[in-house]
């Protein structure tokens, strides 16, 4: 899937779990509040779910006879963030952490240009594109490459196999081409690290 698709088509409106459809009726603005946190999965998922589907999911997790695990639900949250942003969840997390930490500066710069930053929040891919563009603004190839390495580095403790398995062949090809194209020296802004 091309990087442009999530920005143009918008985030998913539902997901399927064990052949049941769960509607996402909440605002994607929830990513700004919760995604930068270490334990974001359940907050983001329940913030997005239709209240009735949230209750249904809670009942399944609390039910002793249902085999659904919290780990499976966290994987759903990660997949949704990746589908909505067009990026690995940890890349989106770092971009949203940067946005949260730099909101005043970025909102002020955009306001001077007649752009309402808050209006972009319902489209997570566009939000990530905006923050990424702001971070690389003025950076040369080496600076862009350094930023890309900071953003795409898997989280501490994630097994390397799991991190690489999460990459589709298309993503691996794009990452290779991005690394190949970016060679030079610095500039740009540093993303806020997420621990």
């Amino acid at each position: 899937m091309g990087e442009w698709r999530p920005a143009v088509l918008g985030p998913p409106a539902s997901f399927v779990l064990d052949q049941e459809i769960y509607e996402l009726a909440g605002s994607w603005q929830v990513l700004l509040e919760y995604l930068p946190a270490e334990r974001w999965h359940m907050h983001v998922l329940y913030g997005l779910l239709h209240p009735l589907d949230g209750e249904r999911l809670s009942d399944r997790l609390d039910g002793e006879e249902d085999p659904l695990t919290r780990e499976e639900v966290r994987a759903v949250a990660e997949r949704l963030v990746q589908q909505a942003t067009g990026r690995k969840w940890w890349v989106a997390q770092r971009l949203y952490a940067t946005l949260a930490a730099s909101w005043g500066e970025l909102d002020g710069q955009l306001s001077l240009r007649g752009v309402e930053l808050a209006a972009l929040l319902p489209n997570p891919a566009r939000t990530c594109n905006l923050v990424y563009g702001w971070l690389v603004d003025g950076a040369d190839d080496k600076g862009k490459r350094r930023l890309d390495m900071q953003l795409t580095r898997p989280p501490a403790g994630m097994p390397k196999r799991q991190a690489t398995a999460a990459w589709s062949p298309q993503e691996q090809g794009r990452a290779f081409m991005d690394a190949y194209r970016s060679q030079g020296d610095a500039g740009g802004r540093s993303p806020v690290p997420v621990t």
Side-chain angles (χ1 to χ4, degrees):
M1 174 161 66
E3 277 184 19
W4 58 270
R5 289 185 188 274
V8 173
L9 301 177
S14 64
F15 66 90
V16 177
L17 180 62
D18 295 334
Q19 300 178 359
E20 294 181 357
I21 298 174
Y22 289 81
E23 181 184 355
L24 302 174
S27 171
W28 285 90
Q29 293 179 14
V30 72
L31 294 183
L32 181 60
E33 184 172 352
Y34 295 115
L35 188 58
E38 186 176 335
R39 300 184 192 275
W40 59 269
H41 298 79
M42 298 307 233
H43 294 292
V44 166
L45 191 57
Y46 281 106
L48 291 171
L49 277 169
H50 185 283
L52 294 176
D53 286 340
E55 288 177 26
R56 182 165 46 126
L57 185 62
S58 290
D59 290 344
R60 289 195 62 195
L61 286 170
D62 293 340
E64 293 179 16
E65 295 182 18
D66 196 312
L68 183 66
T69 66
R70 291 194 182 280
E71 189 58 41
E72 290 172 306
V73 174
R74 282 191 289 272
V76 167
E78 290 171 1
R79 195 168 48 252
L80 286 173
V81 168
Q82 289 179 186
Q83 290 171 348
T85 63
R87 292 168 165 79
K88 295 294 171 202
W89 66 262
W90 59 85
V91 175
Q93 183 182 51
R94 290 171 179 144
L95 291 171
Y96 270 90
T98 300
L99 177 59
S102 306
W103 180 272
E105 180 182 354
L106 187 53
D107 187 43
Q109 287 180 13
L110 291 173
S111 293
L112 291 172
R113 296 181 181 130
V115 177
E116 180 66 35
L117 179 55
L120 297 176
L121 293 177
N123 190 323
R126 294 214 46 220
T127 301
C128 285
N129 290 345
L130 175 91
V131 175
Y132 181 78
W134 180 67
L135 288 170
V136 298
D137 185 38
D140 60 12
D141 287 342
K142 187 175 181 182
K144 183 180 178 295
R145 188 175 74 235
R146 186 173 37 240
L147 173 68
D148 288 343
M149 286 180 9
Q150 288 175 335
L151 288 173
T152 59
R153 183 187 71 247
M158 176 180 274
K160 187 172 184 166
R161 185 172 180 210
Q162 183 182 352
T164 56
W167 287 70
S168 71
Q170 295 86 0
E171 290 168 321
Q172 289 174 354
R174 272 199 308 271
F176 172 78
M177 290 307 293
D178 287 347
Y180 178 77
R181 276 186 285 229
S182 48
Q183 310 194 349
D185 193 59
R189 297 167 182 88
S190 295
V192 173
V194 176
T195 56

